[in-house]
C-alpha cells in the first residue's frame, strides 16, 4: 500500500486526504505511516524500531480528526506492529 499512499492526487481524489512530508533527510529519514480507519485516512505516525533496546518508538503521532484521538483500533494496530517487530516496549514521545 506504500506506493498508493504516496500518490497524493489519488489520495486527495478518493479519500480527501493529503499530507506534506519530507521523505529524505541527510540524517534520519522520515517515512509517514498513514493511518486508515475503515475507509478514511485519519492521520499518520512517524515511528521507528530501536533494535538494540527492542523499543518501538513513536516519534510523532498526527491525528487530523479529534474523534480518532482515543481510537482503540489504532492502539491495537500499533501494538500489533510493535509485536511484529519483536518490540518489548512501546515508547511515545508526546508532543506539546
Amino acid at each position: 500500500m506504500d506506493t498508493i499512499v504516496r500518490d497524493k492526487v489519488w489520495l486527495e481524489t478518493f479519500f480527501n486526504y493529503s499530507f506534506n512530508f519530507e521523505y529524505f533527510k541527510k540524517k534520519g529519514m522520515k517515512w509517514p505511516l498513514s493511518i486508515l480507519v475503515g475507509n478514511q485516512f485519519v492521520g499518520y505516525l512517524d515511528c521507528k524500531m530501536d533494535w538494540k533496546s527492542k523499543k518501538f518508538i513513536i516519534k510523532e503521532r498526527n491525528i487530523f480528526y479529534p474523534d480518532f484521538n482515543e481510537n482503540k483500533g489504532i492502539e491495537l494496530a500499533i501494538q500489533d506492529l510493535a509485536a511484529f517487530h519483536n518490540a518489548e516496549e512501546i515508547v511515545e514521545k508526546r508532543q506539546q
Side-chain angles (χ1 to χ4, degrees):
M1 187 156 153
D2 190 43
T3 52
I4 292 174
V5 172
R6 290 188 189 181
D7 185 341
K8 289 183 168 186
V9 174
W10 184 87
L11 278 175
E12 182 70 32
T13 301
F14 292 102
F15 291 97
N16 193 29
Y17 173 77
S18 66
F19 59 89
N20 291 324
F21 227 68
E22 184 177 336
Y23 283 108
F24 298 99
K25 291 182 163 187
K26 287 189 176 190
K27 291 186 179 183
M29 297 180 351
K30 278 189 167 184
W31 295 95
L33 181 59
S34 295
I35 302 169
L36 178 66
V37 177
N39 64 354
Q40 183 177 9
F41 283 98
V42 299
Y44 66 86
L45 295 177
D46 180 15
C47 52
K48 71 175 187 175
M49 179 64 195
D50 184 333
W51 299 104
K52 289 182 183 178
S53 66
K54 296 194 175 205
K55 292 180 182 176
F56 186 81
I57 301 168
I58 300 172
K59 298 187 290 184
E60 181 180 351
R61 180 190 299 232
N62 204 332
I63 307 290
F64 303 134
Y65 306 102
D67 292 349
F68 292 97
N69 282 334
E70 303 295 325
N71 186 285
K72 296 287 185 199
I74 294 172
E75 297 308 317
L76 290 173
I78 291 170
Q79 291 171 11
D80 287 347
L81 183 59
F84 175 80
H85 288 90
N86 296 317
E88 294 176 356
E89 183 180 358
I90 298 173
V91 177
E92 183 160 1
K93 296 179 179 181
R94 294 282 179 187
Q95 294 179 325
Q96 302 298 329

